[in-house]
Amino acid sequence: MSGRARARSRARARGQETGPPGVSGEAGAAAAIPSESELFGRGRQKGTPGAAAQEAVQHISAGFQRVKLGERGGRRCDVHDAGVNTRQAMEHVKDSKTGTTGSAIQLTANYFRIISRPQWALYQYHVDYKPQMEARRLRSALLFQHEETLGSARSFDGAILFLPNKLHNKETVLHSETRHGEKVQITVTLTNELPPTSPVCLQFYNIIFRRILRMLNMQQIGRNYYNPNDPLNIPQHRLTIWPGFSTAILQYEKSIMLNTDVSHKVLRSETVLDLMLNLRHKCGDQRFAEACAKELIGVVVLTKYNNKTYRIDDIAWDHTPTNTFKKGDAEISFMEYYKTQYSLDITDSNQALLVSHVKRMGPPGAAPPGPAMLIPEFCYLTGMTDKMRADYNIMKDLATHTRLDPERRQGRLNRFISNINDNGDAQAELNTWGLGFENQLLTLTGRVLPGERISQGSRMYEYNPWQADWSREMRGVPLISSPELTTWLLLYTRRNTNEAQALLQGLHKVTGPLGIRMDRPVMIEYEDHQESLLRALQHNVGPQVQMVVVVLPSNRKDKYDSIKKYLCVDCPTPSQCVLSRTLSKPQTIMTVATKIALQMCCKMGGELWSVEIPLKQLMIVGIDCYHDTSCGKRSIGALVASLNQGMTRWYSKCVLQDRGQEIMDGLKMALIGALKDYLKFNDCLPSRIIIYRDGVGDGMLQSVVNYEVPQIMESISSMGQDYMPKLTVVVVKKRINSRFFTQVNGKVTNPPPGTVIDVEVTRPEWYDFYIVSQAVRQGSVSPTHYNVVYDTSGLKPDHLQRLTYKLCHMYYNWQGVVRVPAPCQYAHKLAFLVGQSIHKVPSVHLDDYLFYL
């Protein structure tokens, strides 16, 4: 950690009173985080009672809002983007947004319908106290003395009361008494009668369902619930997996449904203190602080004493467990607090404390919460390190537990809903509210789009639609176009001479049949250290060099980064890195050489294959972003746009932006650059632009509609006042919980590539659909969700769905169908390369090349 960072840490430590998570102190201390049961007055509150909410207005109160997206880890934005109604502005899909092309297929989906009693409604009441009662616990206790009037089913957040039944009078006056004999008048006034489809009701269903999950002894971590009592241990790797479920109840096309999917939380058996001690042993005292900051800041940890997750934002080197903080009116040390609160003994009194800035809404008008101070000894590391992900054995052992095939996944989902329906407490809770769940997964009809014919050079061929791969079919077939490679360099170390020669021989054999003319390279040997490699590049790469291939002895990131930085920024030249290990197996050298030859061809502007795109004067744009944590959380936005009719040539541009800046601010100029490049290629501007916007997080849809779409239109209009192309903006989402299954010969399996779903599980207020485009060999296939947020093109849903699927065939780094349209995948690759390795904007000389593949 730098001196400046340490100073910031100390300033924070001195400037704000801090406390361990869950402790409520003075203004600025880490705020107490009430559980949902406290918000509704069920059970006893263990911590200090929170301040009462302000006078409630006639809509949902702050306390209820706070509950709506889960306790710890919840987000203030609406993660399901409810209330963003984009379909109503599109005349051509107002009546129907379903396609017709393809053959029908029967599917099941991971959705369960909610059953409610006839004429079900939720009644909302405002509750007023005379005299005013400050503590929420006391307000709840006084109100719940009147169970005979209110009934046993109720939810109360301190100001707003929800009941499943209507009280006799619009205003009901109740009288209660405190333990000290103080008389209190409570006025309960009906303010709203909410139908089942109202946003507040949907929110309420989710709250009730979270209660049900806690009745099943499941623990909330982040947004999902896990079962700590049924852990899957992998002792050889010191890992534990908690099985669990992601759940959401929403209004879909025809009914309100529960969407649930299997989730797994990977926990490591080592604590943060274990990791810090290992780092001290490896790095010594001098580099210890810096190594800890690099390894820990940004990591999510789990505190098992309260099953909550925290993101480490800093390390307070001048704080130890012997430091004190204010709890109520008294000072207490961290050691005493954990001993009395959780019966935990801190063994190392000299360990530095971890800082987590808890993003939590406090009571209205209160000061923002200070940071939570965490004890490394009690913080368990979660998730996987890059080193663990690179370990084949770890990933293989993990996959046996987490990568469920359709049959196992469907079985686990059915058991989950059976457990809810068989649990007496859960059923009693649901019955009091007049709710229930169907005990079968949703069945629906999808469509399988016809397979595409691949055009490569003068030949056209088809592929096996179930495998969605044409690597065999394309062997020995000349490519559409490939530049002659006459001047190129091959760099290698002395110990990798054999691998370099093997690569050269492989390339010589495979390039001829593919129609690639490749001369012999200039062979350059370099010493196995970074300075020598960089020197070799500086001395040998000039303007005449078309391609640089480097054989790397290991996958050290710093070496790879220095090559890419130099050849993408300082001396713009397409480059290809390959690990010596990849070239060391004689049985795979031909396959490897083919893939490398294709990549080299692409990076120099070659065109490999295409599919038929019937629309003329069309430009397809893909946008994605990457968050570069190494440079202070900067965002890298990438834009990739097609330049020709066959979608085989692409313009690529990326921008670096500071945190908090809208990604379209920088990409406006990139879009203008793409339009100018299209004009140069075609002597005309596109008459139709379709933009696929990837990288949109939960709750960001409103921002795309209100901010990004106008920015896109502004960029287009800058090309001329009379230039008005047809525009379509589609939000692409990969991180979704929807899963679809089908039956083949009586066995539950994945649906085939090309399966489209645009009924039942889509949202009525959106013009949206799902496509299963890729095939998977293991586990359950993940569909991709497409949401058309703006459309003046008037394209039929059928045509947009087919075009989207066609574009999934055009990613040149994979001889098969990918999960998203090719420009989205290209944009992802570009943003990732810049964010991971270059940290600068690549040279403009590379804009027309796929140099980042």
Side-chain angles (χ1 to χ4, degrees):
M1 181 184 261
S2 66
R4 191 178 294 171
R6 273 197 294 277
R8 279 201 305 270
S9 171
R10 289 193 196 103
R12 268 196 291 273
R14 284 195 293 267
Q16 286 179 300
E17 295 212 30
T18 56
V23 179
S24 178
E26 303 295 321
I33 301 167
S35 73
E36 194 176 284
S37 58
E38 290 159 19
L39 289 170
F40 290 118
R42 295 171 75 83
R44 289 183 168 271
Q45 182 177 358
K46 292 188 177 107
T48 315
Q54 284 180 328
E55 280 293 304
V57 288
Q58 289 196 357
H59 57 73
I60 194 159
S61 74
F64 199 77
Q65 283 172 341
R66 195 176 316 149
V67 166
K68 93 176 180 188
L69 295 172
E71 295 95 38
R72 166 70 198 165
R75 291 181 46 183
R76 292 183 206 176
C77 63
D78 178 4
V79 295
H80 301 298
D81 295 298
V84 184
N85 192 332
T86 47
R87 185 178 170 188
Q88 63 186 2
M90 297 177 242
E91 287 294 332
H92 61 295
V93 289
K94 264 189 178 175
D95 297 329
S96 172
K97 61 176 181 181
T98 56
T100 53
T101 303
S103 52
I105 184 171
Q106 288 304 305
L107 303 169
T108 51
N110 57 337
Y111 291 79
F112 295 93
R113 281 197 182 92
I114 286 191
I115 308 160
S116 59
R117 61 169 178 245
Q119 285 83 50
W120 190 95
L122 188 65
Y123 298 92
Q124 179 179 323
Y125 294 86
H126 172 59
V127 183
D128 195 33
Y129 292 80
K130 276 188 184 174
Q132 278 294 326
M133 296 288 116
E134 291 302 317
R136 186 188 291 122
R137 251 180 84 196
L138 180 57
R139 291 158 78 94
S140 300
L142 292 169
L143 182 65
F144 294 164
Q145 286 175 14
H146 302 279
E147 189 168 316
E148 71 287 347
T149 306
L150 303 175
S152 58
R154 70 245 165 160
S155 277
F156 183 57
D157 73 345
I160 300 292
L161 172 69
F162 288 95
L163 298 175
N165 303 306
K166 197 172 184 177
L167 299 178
H168 294 302
N169 302 314
K170 186 178 180 184
E171 187 175 286
T172 305
V173 178
L174 306 168
H175 297 277
S176 296
E177 193 172 306
T178 66
R179 276 187 296 182
H180 305 297
E182 186 181 3
K183 299 270 194 295
V184 180
Q185 179 181 301
I186 304 171
T187 307
V188 180
T189 309
L190 178 67
T191 57
N192 222 338
E193 185 176 326
L194 302 160
T197 54
S198 77
V200 174
C201 272
L202 294 173
Q203 183 178 307
F204 179 78
Y205 292 149
N206 284 288
I207 290 167
I208 294 295
F209 193 69
R210 285 203 292 274
R211 281 191 197 169
I212 302 298
L213 293 173
R214 284 199 298 278
M215 287 173 183
L216 299 177
N217 297 317
M218 298 186 82
Q219 298 279 357
Q220 185 176 11
I221 300 178
R223 289 184 200 160
N224 301 339
Y225 276 80
Y226 299 90
N227 187 355
N229 303 316
D230 186 23
L232 307 163
N233 292 308
I234 310 177
Q236 66 271 32
H237 304 305
R238 298 185 69 191
L239 294 174
T240 301
I241 302 167
W242 282 6
F245 296 91
S246 63
T247 63
I249 296 172
L250 284 171
Q251 171 72 48
Y252 295 95
E253 289 294 341
K254 294 177 180 173
S255 52
I256 296 166
M257 293 190 283
L258 164 71
N259 169 225
T260 181
D261 193 28
V262 176
S263 177
H264 296 94
K265 193 74 186 170
V266 177
L267 307 173
R268 281 140 69 185
S269 304
E270 63 178 331
T271 64
V272 172
L273 184 61
D274 295 335
L275 179 67
M276 291 173 88
L277 294 173
N278 284 338
L279 287 173
R280 187 187 286 275
H281 182 68
K282 275 186 198 171
C283 308
D285 288 348
Q286 199 171 355
R287 288 186 49 237
F288 173 58
E290 187 187 337
C292 282
K294 192 175 177 183
E295 198 75 32
L296 290 171
I297 289 175
V299 166
V300 175
V301 295
L302 173 79
T303 48
K304 287 189 179 176
Y305 51 80
N306 60 357
N307 281 324
K308 289 182 180 173
T309 53
Y310 299 87
R311 185 184 182 279
I312 299 174
D313 293 306
D314 212 338
I315 303 168
W317 294 104
D318 52 354
H319 268 55
T320 67
T322 56
N323 278 65
T324 60
F325 63 93
K326 214 163 190 181
K327 186 188 176 194
D329 297 324
E331 288 280 334
I332 186 172
S333 73
F334 287 92
M335 295 186 84
E336 292 171 302
Y337 171 77
Y338 280 95
K339 180 70 177 170
T340 55
Q341 189 80 3
Y342 299 109
S343 303
L344 292 172
D345 291 307
I346 295 174
T347 55
D348 184 347
S349 59
N350 294 317
Q351 59 190 301
L353 302 190
L354 308 172
V355 180
S356 177
H357 298 298
V358 182
K359 293 173 184 171
R360 174 58 52 181
M361 285 196 305
M373 307 297 283
L374 306 170
I375 310 294
E377 191 176 330
F378 300 145
C379 294
Y380 286 82
L381 295 156
T382 68
M384 311 280 290
T385 63
D386 290 339
K387 190 179 174 186
M388 291 165 84
R389 288 182 203 281
D391 188 314
Y392 173 77
N393 291 321
I394 291 178
M395 297 310 287
K396 184 185 168 191
D397 293 341
L398 261 181
T400 58
H401 296 290
T402 60
R403 199 170 285 172
L404 304 179
D405 62 35
E407 194 134 21
R408 284 169 68 200
R409 187 178 290 268
Q410 192 165 307
R412 200 176 283 187
L413 293 171
N414 283 324
R415 278 199 305 279
F416 174 57
I417 210 73
S418 295
N419 289 343
I420 291 170
N421 289 332
D422 295 344
N423 184 290
D425 292 340
Q427 281 308 297
E429 179 71 17
L430 287 169
N431 289 337
T432 59
W433 291 100
L435 298 171
F437 294 96
E438 276 191 357
N439 56 7
Q440 288 181 334
L441 288 166
L442 178 75
T443 58
L444 68 159
T445 304
R447 291 174 291 113
V448 183
L449 297 176
E452 293 294 328
R453 284 170 62 79
I454 307 296
S455 170
Q456 188 174 322
S458 58
R459 277 191 57 189
M460 292 192 82
Y461 53 83
E462 293 178 351
Y463 59 89
N464 181 339
W466 277 90
Q467 289 178 350
D469 179 299
W470 52 87
S471 51
R472 281 188 180 172
E473 286 82 355
M474 77 173 295
R475 279 183 201 161
V477 180
L479 306 173
I480 293 173
S481 77
S482 57
E484 284 186 22
L485 186 53
T486 53
T487 312
W488 62 293
L489 312 179
L490 178 57
L491 285 81
Y492 60 97
T493 60
R494 180 168 295 175
R495 65 180 175 141
N496 294 141
T497 306
N498 292 340
E499 286 86 353
Q501 288 298 336
L503 173 62
L504 211 51
Q505 287 166 16
L507 287 172
H508 180 70
K509 286 177 185 172
V510 301
T511 50
L514 289 169
I516 302 171
R517 192 192 147 194
M518 188 181 286
D519 290 353
R520 232 187 125 67
V522 177
M523 306 283 284
I524 299 165
E525 189 180 300
Y526 68 94
E527 295 293 322
D528 188 9
H529 54 85
Q530 196 173 317
E531 295 76 16
S532 170
L533 176 54
L534 200 53
R535 213 165 31 244
L537 292 172
Q538 288 165 344
H539 289 166
N540 294 283
V541 181
Q544 75 287 357
V545 174
Q546 296 168 274
M547 170 64 66
V548 177
V549 178
V550 184
V551 178
L552 291 168
S554 69
N555 61 351
R556 272 186 53 182
K557 188 176 179 297
D558 54 351
K559 272 189 190 170
Y560 178 82
D561 291 356
S562 66
I563 295 167
K564 291 297 177 184
K565 243 177 224 169
Y566 183 71
L567 295 175
C568 291
V569 181
D570 303 328
C571 184
T573 312
S575 60
Q576 178 69 43
C577 295
V578 55
L579 283 173
S580 59
R581 187 178 67 225
T582 311
L583 303 169
S584 60
K585 298 170 187 167
Q587 65 272 25
T588 60
I589 192 68
M590 294 303 284
T591 307
V592 170
T594 303
K595 292 200 170 183
I596 290 172
L598 293 174
Q599 275 190 307
M600 289 166 69
C601 178
C602 287
K603 289 178 179 184
M604 295 188 300
E607 300 162 85
L608 307 190
W609 64 77
S610 68
V611 293
E612 188 194 357
I613 308 284
L615 296 170
K616 306 295 182 219
Q617 285 186 294
L618 166 69
M619 184 164 92
I620 301 287
V621 179
I623 295 174
D624 202 354
C625 54
Y626 175 85
H627 302 293
D628 184 359
T629 50
S630 68
C631 294
K633 296 181 184 170
R634 275 194 313 191
S635 287
I636 290 97
L639 178 144
V640 176
S642 64
L643 295 173
N644 64 345
Q645 172 65 27
M647 308 291 157
T648 57
R649 295 299 307 270
W650 302 89
Y651 170 88
S652 309
K653 198 78 177 169
C654 80
V655 292
L656 276 65
Q657 300 200 160
D658 294 324
R659 189 183 184 184
Q661 249 187 304
E662 291 287 350
I663 210 74
M664 262 330 282
D665 289 351
L667 289 178
K668 267 173 74 176
M669 292 311 296
L671 182 55
I672 292 167
L675 288 166
K676 287 178 178 174
D677 219 20
Y678 187 98
L679 179 61
K680 191 172 75 181
F681 257 73
N682 302 279
D683 294 322
C684 67
L685 285 166
S687 61
R688 192 189 297 269
I689 300 170
I690 298 176
I691 296 176
Y692 289 94
R693 170 68 159 99
D694 205 344
V696 176
D698 295 334
M700 283 174 58
L701 193 63
Q702 192 78 62
S703 165
V704 173
V705 174
N706 291 352
Y707 186 81
E708 292 190 16
V709 171
Q711 295 281 83
I712 290 165
M713 292 163 75
E714 201 177 301
S715 299
I716 292 167
S717 63
S718 71
M719 298 300 292
Q721 285 189 337
D722 55 346
Y723 177 53
M724 294 177 68
K726 293 172 178 176
L727 175 66
T728 305
V729 181
V730 186
V731 170
V732 180
K733 266 193 123 171
K734 302 184 293 288
R735 291 186 181 180
I736 55 173
N737 295 322
S738 299
R739 294 286 183 275
F740 301 101
F741 318 104
T742 190
Q743 286 215 345
V744 176
N745 300 326
K747 188 186 174 192
V748 179
T749 184
N750 287 313
T755 300
V756 175
I757 301 97
D758 55 8
V759 294
E760 296 276 3
V761 293
T762 50
R763 302 267 284 270
E765 70 273 25
W766 294 349
Y767 170 17
D768 61 331
F769 56 91
Y770 294 87
I771 299 183
V772 175
S773 51
Q774 80 282 27
V776 294
R777 292 188 180 92
Q778 276 184 300
S780 305
V781 72
S782 298
T784 303
H785 182 247
Y786 297 92
N787 184 4
V788 185
V789 296
Y790 184 84
D791 188 18
T792 59
S793 72
L795 268 184
K796 289 180 182 175
D798 233 8
H799 294 167
L800 187 61
Q801 290 168 7
R802 288 203 64 183
L803 176 65
T804 302
Y805 184 50
K806 282 173 182 287
L807 290 167
C808 295
H809 293 69
M810 292 303 299
Y811 180 60
Y812 283 162
N813 222 10
W814 179 253
Q815 294 97 53
V817 191
V818 291
R819 193 175 167 191
V820 293
C824 290
Q825 193 63 24
Y826 287 138
H828 167 74
K829 286 287 281 186
L830 174 57
F832 186 79
L833 175 69
V834 173
Q836 277 278 305
S837 303
I838 304 175
H839 310 295
K840 288 181 181 178
V841 175
S843 168
V844 292
H845 296 294
L846 297 172
D847 284 355
D848 289 344
Y849 302 102
L850 298 171
F851 64 93
Y852 41 83
L853 287 189

